Amino acid sequence: MTSLSRELVFLILQFLEEEKFKESVHKLEKESGFYFNMKYFDEKVQAGEWEEVEKYLSGFTKVDDNRYSMKIFFEIRKQKYLEALDRQDKSKAVDILVNDLKVFSTFNEDLYKEITQLLTLGNFRENEQLSKYGDTKTARSIMLIELKKLIEANPLFRDKLNFPGLKSSRLRTLINQSLNWQHQLCKNPRPNPDIKTLFQDHTCTPANGPLAPTPVNLPVAAVAKPAAYTSLGAHGPFPPAAAAAAANANALAGWMANPSASSSVQAAVVTASSIPVQQNQVSILKRPRTPPVTPGMVDYQSPDHEQLMKRLRPAQSVEEVTYPTPRQQVSWSLDDLPRNVAFTLHQGSNVTSMDFHPSHPRLLLVGCNNGEITLWELGSQERVVSKAFKIWDISSCSLPFQAATIKDAPISVSRVTWSPDGTFVGVAFTKHLIQLYAYSGPNDLHQHLEIDAHAGGVNDLAFAHPNKQLCVVTCGDDKLIKVWEISGRRLFVFEGHEAPVYSICPHHKESIQFIFSTAIDGKIKAWLYDNLGSRVDYDAPGHWCTTMLYSADGTRLFSCGTSKDGDSFLVEWNESEGAIKRTYTGFRKKSSTGVVQFDTTQNHFLAAGEDSQIKFWDMDNTNVLTSTDAEGGLPSFPRLRFNREGYLLAVTTTDNGIKILANAVGLKTLKAIESTAFEGLRTPLDAGPIKVSGSSAVPHVNPVNCKVERSSPVGPTPIINGVDPIVRGVEKPRTLDDINEKAKPWQLTEILEAGQCRLVTMPDSTDTSSKVVRLLYTNSGVGVLALGSNGIQKLWKWVRNEQNPGGKATASVVPQHWQPNSGLLMTNDVSGVNLEEAVPCIALSKNDSYVMSACGGKVSLFNMMTFKVMTTFMSPPPASTFLAFHPQDNNIIAIGMEDSAIHIYNVRVDEVKTKLKGHQKRISGLAFSTVLNILVSSGADAQLCVWSIDPWEKRKSIAIQLPAGKAPVGETRVQFHSDQIRLLVVHETQLAIYDAPKMDCIRQWLPQDVISAPISYAAFSCNSQLIYATFCDGHIGVFDPDSLRLRCRIAPSAYFSQAVLNGSQAVYPLVVASHPQERNQFAVGLTDGSVKVIEPVESEGKWGTSPPTDNGILSGRTGSSSTTSNHTPDKMQR
């Protein structure tokens, strides 16, 4: 076999491994004899699968090939013989002796006789040489050590023990390159190539020919029976490069098309139809990886394929048009800038990094040069958390780092930052480490994850959301950028910088995620989440340390840095051209070493620290707008950070302090907070951090003040209806939502009339013969999808117009009942189904391209553009009752069944991979946690089961806590909080919050008082800061998830007409759905078939305020507790 053919085998092996064709991988390894998989061999030996062990070995050597081979086979067969003797299976031992060991008698007859004599002993350990033989597992491990030495010494295994160092998905990359070249050769290349097969060369149909349907990113293409190519998309959660690059015209194409003079070779031009480029204009790759591509050519396996096609093809219908959003002109004045010193915080150590909480501006996170991190409460000017530097698990760190901790200088914090939703804190250190903390409330900062991330210093850390999955991006002195899952698994390593990487700036344009990085040699690079290298290579002004930031709305890109000679540069970049748009003036050359720090705010201002003062610029004017020295005491290069709203500014001082600057709004806010009691925040510092390993699940996160010792065998008592039965004297810290209400006692917000909320009813939705049983927003937030009890799905979309320029779902504008021109309906298979007993289920793909649903019959896959059924699967019985996509692999679906089983179904190969059994009745809910790597299921048996993912194994099963006398029946649903740790459990009798790592119920609410009807449905808001619950009497409740207290009650009279209220048939919501981006918007599906979208009135903007707690009693209203509040701890124990 030629060298290229041999390499092709390795590519196929890699492909099979990535596609999880495990048996095929090892069969090809054996049949080709090119690669001996020591890990697989180890597993089979440890499992005692002797037949497979010898079969696998036979692909590489035979018994009589050489003395090493003979010894290998002898050791294996001897072990098999001894194990048979140890089991007292004499007949099996004789069989092995005669058929397997006899061959060695010709080489050593005495040894064979001695082995034979072991049959006469009651215990072969009576033989002196075998007296130390232990148990089977130990004996196999000892033998493996010997076997590995023999294999490594055997010349027949030379060059077969190491797999070539291939970049991931190399075969797919080569296929894409081939398709791109074929597309280049098309006489009439089209921007939306119609690639249906790999079996023939690709050619585009003539421009005046029929338009081929856009191939949807369909991971089930392999099981679809119509003509469609088989998707070779990677299983990973991130889109491959080519498609992403093609779509990202605005963000990266200009950079790649206009390299600077310092770039030795041009980068690839990857453009979309929105950029004027001649039809066949291409450039050469800086480091050739793929051939040049025709404008519009996309990587066929992209998970965002349909989304990209919408962007690339000409506008044909209103929902596919992309409207530029004009920049609104907002009046401003110098008074908008926070320039007044409110107070000074005395940190005690030199501050190296700061960050405000994204939603609570009173919380300031600070990192210091002694490795300490501190959380300041600005209202009370108190440290609510202080964590001295500590290595959580030194044994898991690399040896160079362990050595460095002994002899090197103290470790400093290089970066602290909040995750976008404020649930995690990221800390980067000047030596190797990053640490993540889970944050779930005041002074509740728990160790989550520690990673030895880089060799040398970790210079920057940021959070990103590729494919809607929270990840951590880091860079360091080792010239690398790395991407990590929150669980600690490394996803990507980007290499290409030739100097230590100084800063990173993750960002996204529409659905395209990318990262800008800068190194201390002044190089700027850009990366997509793939393994195809940097897309950009530019020089930053100053050619030294540079930081890049986007404006708050993500539309404008800035960079700021300093040269080694002391010149500082603040510039705005033109993303569409990859060039500097404007350079801001006002800096002075300095002899002292240091780097200017900067920040942006209010989409209008820039601020930078220089010359012991803060200088401000209007983004649209290059001259300095104003400056302040903050009443003196600032260092030459002060660090600074705005809060999200821009009315507070934190600035470092020379005496190891922080000055808080504010504008009028900020001063008023701080004064209001300062006058509010924060007793709940005053707890001892560093109160017992929890020990967890770097890759373990997050420890128990309990934001309430009920502490349970981890060594205690008793689980925590749940907090029922917001009243903690154990702790009565601790006040809950108030949030900014309460500031404007502090002057009057808190009262439950009650919406009783139509004018007290905004409401829109979907047109053509009312159908009294079909209830709305399932309801979803599209992931883009522009549509609502409803599944009726008759199996028909309806879709409503909001279009862009003067009333709604963003085109997002809103209660202020009536949407369109959307249907394709064909007039098709999305109708599920209901043949032979009793619709009264059917349990509908639905799941939407991440890019809104297709929807899967069932209503007692087969699961149908619908194209969301054409409404056509693309394929069906999982024919009953049993019927499917719940669908959930694996969060990291769209090819894997967890399907809850009517017979109480859960099928883990691979749509690519149309095969049920695993069946999970643990419930007694049908499955009614499924929820994945990527942080904990678990699946939680709920059933109509009121049971919760926890399953580990890969391998799929049952971890735990518990019954929910039902009120006394209540039978364990009824639908139970589950949904994870955005932190992926806390779990919302919904039953007709209760709402409950569980701590998923331990499955302890930590809060519970039971219907009572103003809302006493059974619960029909509940769901978190998009940011998990609210819970929307619907009730069988028509009420809707809005709850605070931290306390499970009702903050707003919406009466049926607020959203029903008088005719409905007076009707003979009771109408109420069966299901509620939360808008994916707007926390205060939700939709309800009703028993009369109608769908309504509801929002607060614009003057309020929110659903009430968080109810404060005072000794277990609501301020202004008695907090009643349920009859189940006498649950004792032993009843909670699992």
Side-chain angles (χ1 to χ4, degrees):
M1 185 176 284
T2 65
S3 175
L4 286 179
S5 297
R6 185 174 186 274
E7 290 181 1
L8 180 59
V9 171
F10 282 109
L11 293 176
I12 295 171
L13 284 172
Q14 183 195 44
F15 172 81
L16 293 174
E17 179 68 25
E18 289 174 343
E19 295 298 308
K20 298 182 172 60
F21 295 113
K22 298 294 186 183
E23 293 182 8
S24 300
V25 169
H26 303 310
K27 187 172 289 187
L28 182 55
E29 288 167 353
K30 179 182 78 70
E31 291 181 356
S32 68
F34 289 158
Y35 173 59
F36 184 84
N37 192 327
M38 189 70 83
K39 181 180 178 182
Y40 175 71
F41 180 75
D42 187 316
E43 290 173 354
K44 294 303 174 184
V45 170
Q46 292 281 19
E49 297 179 24
W50 306 119
E51 184 177 348
E52 177 58 25
V53 168
E54 288 206 22
K55 188 184 295 184
Y56 188 73
L57 272 172
S58 67
F60 303 87
T61 184
K62 300 294 184 290
V63 174
D64 56 356
D65 278 346
N66 57 42
R67 62 190 181 90
Y68 297 101
S69 299
M70 184 177 294
K71 179 68 170 171
I72 290 169
F73 280 93
F74 175 77
E75 290 296 330
I76 291 170
R77 295 177 182 181
K78 183 185 72 173
Q79 179 63 27
K80 183 166 61 169
Y81 175 69
L82 293 176
E83 288 184 18
L85 290 175
D86 209 21
R87 296 192 305 269
Q88 300 299 315
D89 189 350
K90 293 294 181 69
S91 61
K92 181 65 175 177
V94 170
D95 182 68
I96 296 169
L97 187 68
V98 173
N99 296 316
D100 295 334
L101 292 170
K102 180 72 173 177
V103 66
F104 302 105
S105 64
T106 57
F107 304 99
N108 192 333
E109 189 173 354
D110 292 336
L111 178 60
Y112 182 75
K113 288 179 180 179
E114 187 174 354
I115 290 174
T116 304
Q117 289 174 359
L118 295 177
L119 285 169
T120 64
L121 302 177
N123 185 338
F124 64 81
R125 293 174 180 82
E126 295 172 15
N127 183 293
E128 185 178 352
Q129 296 182 42
L130 297 173
S131 61
K132 294 183 180 180
Y133 184 99
D135 58 85
T136 299
K137 184 178 180 180
T138 303
R140 289 176 182 173
S141 299
I142 294 171
M143 180 188 67
L144 256 175
I145 296 172
E146 181 66 16
L147 290 179
K148 288 178 180 178
K149 291 178 181 178
L150 292 169
I151 289 170
E152 290 168 359
N154 194 329
L156 294 176
F157 290 83
R158 190 168 298 145
D159 301 325
K160 295 181 180 181
L161 299 178
N162 295 311
F163 199 86
L166 303 176
K167 289 189 177 293
S168 64
S169 305
R170 179 60 182 160
L171 185 59
R172 292 189 186 90
T173 302
L174 293 173
I175 293 173
N176 284 330
Q177 291 173 350
S178 171
L179 290 172
N180 289 346
W181 278 118
Q182 291 171 30
H183 190 63
Q184 281 286 298
L185 299 176
C186 290
K187 293 182 180 179
N188 300 291
R190 305 183 65 193
N192 181 9
D194 181 20
I195 301 171
K196 289 186 175 180
T197 181
L198 298 178
F199 296 156
Q200 298 175 355
D201 287 349
H202 161 72
T203 56
C204 288
T205 55
N208 57 358
L211 278 174
T214 301
V216 179
N217 163 43
L218 181 59
V220 297
V223 300
K225 305 307 183 283
Y229 65 88
T230 302
S231 168
L232 296 181
H235 285 279
F238 304 113
N248 195 18
N250 293 331
L252 294 179
W255 291 72
M256 292 185 277
N258 300 284
S260 65
S262 66
S263 302
S264 58
V265 188
Q266 286 184 317
V269 176
V270 185
T271 65
S273 56
S274 60
I275 295 183
V277 181
Q278 293 182 0
Q279 185 68 9
N280 290 313
Q281 177 184 342
V282 294
S283 296
I284 304 170
L285 278 167
K286 181 179 160 213
R287 288 184 295 276
R289 283 185 171 86
T290 59
V293 291
T294 302
M297 182 62 199
V298 294
D299 184 332
Y300 72 95
Q301 87 268 17
S302 167
D304 286 322
H305 184 79
E306 177 69 13
Q307 180 80 3
L308 304 186
M309 291 302 100
K310 290 181 183 178
R311 294 178 58 195
L312 295 177
R313 61 174 177 259
Q316 297 175 355
S317 58
V318 68
E319 63 273 3
E320 296 182 24
V321 178
T322 300
Y323 294 86
T325 303
R327 188 181 305 279
Q328 297 182 353
Q329 297 298 320
V330 181
S331 61
W332 61 272
S333 72
L334 287 177
D335 293 336
D336 295 332
L337 291 169
R339 294 180 295 157
N340 303 304
V341 177
F343 51 80
T344 300
L345 304 173
H346 298 285
Q347 179 66 38
S349 301
N350 183 32
V351 175
T352 55
S353 182
M354 301 176 292
D355 196 23
F356 281 92
H357 191 283
S359 56
H360 299 297
R362 71 179 186 273
L363 294 178
L364 178 64
L365 180 66
V366 176
C368 301
N369 68 343
N370 62 355
E372 177 188 32
I373 66 167
T374 302
L375 187 58
W376 286 92
E377 161 49 55
L378 301 186
S380 61
Q381 300 178 36
E382 292 184 2
R383 305 176 196 238
V384 294
V385 175
S386 183
K387 302 281 187 183
F389 173 71
K390 181 180 180 181
I391 301 172
W392 300 345
D393 185 4
I394 189 68
S395 63
S396 65
C397 299
S398 64
L399 292 176
F401 177 54
Q402 293 184 38
T405 59
I406 299 173
K407 62 182 181 180
D408 286 0
I411 294 177
S412 303
V413 172
S414 55
R415 174 76 157 156
V416 292
T417 187
W418 291 96
S419 64
D421 60 0
T423 57
F424 288 99
V425 165
V427 188
F429 295 95
T430 53
K431 294 291 181 184
H432 290 248
L433 283 185
I434 67 168
Q435 292 178 346
L436 299 186
Y437 290 87
Y439 175 81
S440 56
N443 72 343
D444 196 3
L445 206 59
H446 287 297
Q447 295 176 4
H448 172 61
L449 178 68
E450 181 179 71
I451 304 175
D452 188 344
H454 292 270
V458 184
N459 297 324
D460 202 1
L461 177 150
F463 289 93
H465 270 100
N467 208 34
K468 299 183 180 179
Q469 177 189 358
L470 183 63
C471 293
V472 178
V473 186
T474 61
C475 66
D477 288 343
D478 54 7
K479 309 174 186 177
L480 301 176
I481 298 114
K482 298 182 181 182
V483 182
W484 313 83
E485 284 184 346
I486 289 295
S487 63
R489 184 169 74 95
R490 193 180 68 196
L491 295 171
F492 293 99
V493 177
F494 301 139
E495 49 185 314
H497 276 292
E498 297 174 359
V501 186
Y502 178 73
S503 73
I504 46 180
C505 178
H507 195 59
H508 67 93
K509 290 288 184 178
E510 296 185 19
S511 62
I512 309 306
Q513 305 276 346
F514 54 92
I515 304 167
F516 279 115
S517 62
T518 65
I520 63 171
D521 59 0
K523 291 294 183 183
I524 299 174
K525 295 182 183 290
W527 318 79
L528 296 169
Y529 291 87
D530 55 35
N531 294 302
L532 300 183
S534 169
R535 305 306 205 281
V536 163
D537 189 353
Y538 285 85
D539 286 328
H543 303 277
W544 198 38
C545 298
T546 298
T547 304
M548 304 185 81
L549 288 177
Y550 274 90
S551 58
D553 60 7
T555 60
R556 304 176 72 172
L557 177 63
F558 303 89
S559 72
C560 182
T562 304
S563 72
K564 293 181 180 178
D565 297 328
D567 294 310
S568 296
F569 300 87
L570 176 60
V571 303
E572 180 179 5
W573 292 88
N574 186 326
E575 285 188 284
S576 63
E577 298 178 5
I580 293 174
K581 182 176 182 179
R582 58 171 58 89
T583 301
Y584 299 89
T585 61
F587 293 103
R588 292 195 308 114
K589 186 166 184 172
K590 289 158 288 294
S591 57
S592 60
T593 58
V595 178
V596 170
Q597 307 292 318
F598 87 117
D599 202 359
T600 73
T601 187
Q602 302 177 31
N603 296 314
H604 199 91
F605 299 110
L606 300 167
E610 188 214 32
D611 291 336
S612 302
Q613 57 184 324
I614 306 300
K615 298 179 180 180
F616 298 93
W617 288 263
D618 176 354
M619 288 181 177
D620 297 320
N621 192 319
T622 59
N623 297 319
V624 173
L625 179 64
T626 187
S627 63
T628 179
D629 65 357
E631 301 177 1
L634 303 187
S636 179
F637 295 98
R639 299 181 183 275
L640 68 158
R641 190 71 171 171
F642 287 103
N643 73 332
R644 176 174 286 186
E645 294 78 8
Y647 56 71
L648 297 178
L649 176 63
V651 183
T652 58
T653 66
T654 54
D655 58 353
N656 298 333
I658 305 161
K659 289 193 175 185
I660 302 300
L661 281 61
N663 61 15
V665 174
L667 290 171
K668 183 178 179 181
T669 302
L670 290 171
K671 185 176 180 181
I673 299 175
E674 191 174 3
S675 64
T676 305
F678 280 91
E679 295 304 319
L681 297 175
R682 296 187 176 98
T683 57
L685 304 182
D686 253 330
I690 303 161
K691 300 273 187 181
V692 292
S693 62
S695 60
S696 68
V698 181
H700 176 66
V701 178
N702 189 357
V704 297
N705 293 306
C706 171
K707 302 296 181 184
V708 177
E709 294 299 325
R710 278 159 180 69
S711 59
S712 170
V714 180
T717 301
I719 298 175
I720 300 176
N721 293 2
V723 180
D724 187 340
I726 297 176
V727 179
R728 302 288 185 182
V730 181
E731 180 181 4
K732 177 184 175 182
R734 303 183 186 183
T735 66
L736 274 180
D737 288 343
D738 304 316
I739 292 171
N740 295 328
E741 304 294 329
K742 73 180 184 69
K744 57 183 179 180
W746 180 90
Q747 286 189 337
L748 173 70
T749 300
E750 299 190 285
I751 309 295
L752 306 176
E753 300 174 358
Q756 293 179 290
C757 64
R758 288 183 289 159
L759 170 72
V760 64
T761 302
M762 304 298 100
D764 306 319
S765 66
T766 304
D767 180 2
T768 54
S769 65
S770 177
K771 305 172 183 178
V772 177
V773 287
R774 296 293 179 265
L775 191 65
L776 297 172
Y777 276 92
T778 58
N779 293 298
S780 59
V782 301
V784 170
L785 181 66
L787 172 59
S789 57
N790 60 359
I792 297 176
Q793 291 168 143
K794 293 182 179 180
L795 176 65
W796 293 271
K797 288 186 179 181
W798 280 259
V799 297
R800 289 184 174 90
N801 52 37
E802 291 184 2
Q803 287 180 288
N804 186 21
K808 296 290 186 180
T810 172
S812 302
V813 177
V814 178
Q816 292 182 352
H817 180 203
W818 198 89
Q819 281 186 280
N821 294 331
S822 64
L824 276 178
L825 296 176
M826 282 192 282
T827 306
N828 278 282
D829 166 43
V830 292
S831 55
V833 174
N834 183 345
L835 293 177
E836 292 295 323
E837 298 179 358
V839 180
C841 51
I842 189 170
L844 184 64
S845 68
K846 293 175 183 176
N847 60 1
D848 298 334
S849 296
Y850 57 92
V851 61
M852 287 182 182
S853 59
C855 195
K858 292 182 285 189
V859 178
S860 300
L861 177 77
F862 296 92
N863 184 310
M864 285 283 282
M865 294 298 295
T866 65
F867 286 12
K868 290 181 179 179
V869 177
M870 307 178 76
T871 189
T872 59
F873 53 95
M874 300 299 289
S875 300
S880 303
T881 57
F882 203 92
L883 301 170
F885 282 102
H886 191 294
Q888 296 172 329
D889 189 347
N890 253 5
N891 299 303
I892 303 298
I893 303 176
I895 306 178
M897 308 300 290
E898 192 175 36
D899 66 353
S900 78
I902 302 167
H903 291 192
I904 306 303
Y905 178 71
N906 188 318
V907 294
R908 183 187 297 278
V909 297
D910 190 17
E911 181 181 344
V912 175
K913 292 293 186 182
T914 306
K915 290 185 181 180
L916 308 178
K917 295 184 179 180
H919 287 275
Q920 304 303 315
K921 295 182 180 180
R922 69 172 178 269
I923 303 301
S924 55
L926 296 168
F928 283 94
S929 169
T930 53
V931 169
L932 302 178
N933 205 34
I934 60 172
L935 169 68
V936 176
S937 60
S938 59
D941 54 1
Q943 294 280 326
L944 304 175
C945 290
V946 182
W947 313 86
S948 62
I949 300 173
D950 195 20
W952 296 95
E953 294 176 351
K954 185 176 177 181
R955 285 191 187 176
K956 201 170 191 178
S957 177
I958 64 169
I960 66 171
Q961 299 164 29
L962 295 170
K966 179 66 179 178
V969 295
E971 302 290 324
T972 308
R973 298 182 179 88
V974 286
Q975 182 187 2
F976 270 102
H977 187 281
S978 59
D979 65 10
Q980 298 279 287
I981 305 298
R982 287 170 283 175
L983 181 75
L984 171 64
V985 177
V986 183
H987 187 263
E988 64 181 43
T989 64
Q990 64 186 272
L991 302 175
I993 300 293
Y994 280 72
D995 174 41
K998 295 185 177 181
M999 288 308 288
D1000 288 333
C1001 179
I1002 53 178
R1003 291 172 198 78
Q1004 189 182 59
W1005 182 90
L1006 310 178
Q1008 55 161 336
D1009 293 348
V1010 291
I1011 305 182
S1012 57
I1015 300 166
S1016 59
Y1017 208 94
F1020 278 120
S1021 63
C1022 60
N1023 62 356
S1024 299
Q1025 298 303 304
L1026 301 171
I1027 295 174
Y1028 297 112
T1030 56
F1031 296 83
C1032 294
D1033 63 355
H1035 276 96
I1036 301 170
V1038 183
F1039 291 81
D1040 177 53
D1042 289 335
S1043 63
L1044 271 191
R1045 282 186 177 275
L1046 185 66
R1047 58 187 283 165
C1048 179
R1049 175 178 73 96
I1050 303 173
S1053 55
Y1055 66 100
F1056 283 151
S1057 66
Q1058 200 61 42
V1060 172
L1061 292 171
N1062 295 334
S1064 59
Q1065 198 74 19
V1067 178
Y1068 61 91
L1070 280 174
V1071 64
V1072 64
S1074 302
H1075 190 283
Q1077 288 103 34
E1078 298 294 334
R1079 60 171 284 192
N1080 289 298
Q1081 184 187 132
F1082 63 91
V1084 290
L1086 304 166
T1087 54
D1088 65 354
S1090 63
V1091 175
K1092 300 176 185 290
V1093 169
I1094 306 175
E1095 291 183 278
V1097 292
E1098 292 184 354
S1099 60
E1100 293 293 332
K1102 60 187 177 183
W1103 299 109
T1105 59
S1106 297
T1109 306
D1110 185 11
N1111 295 330
I1113 298 177
L1114 285 172
S1115 300
R1117 179 187 294 270
T1118 300
S1120 60
S1121 59
S1122 160
T1123 55
T1124 59
S1125 64
N1126 61 353
H1127 274 297
T1128 54
D1130 61 305
K1131 292 182 180 179
M1132 285 297 300
Q1133 190 175 352
R1134 298 288 176 234

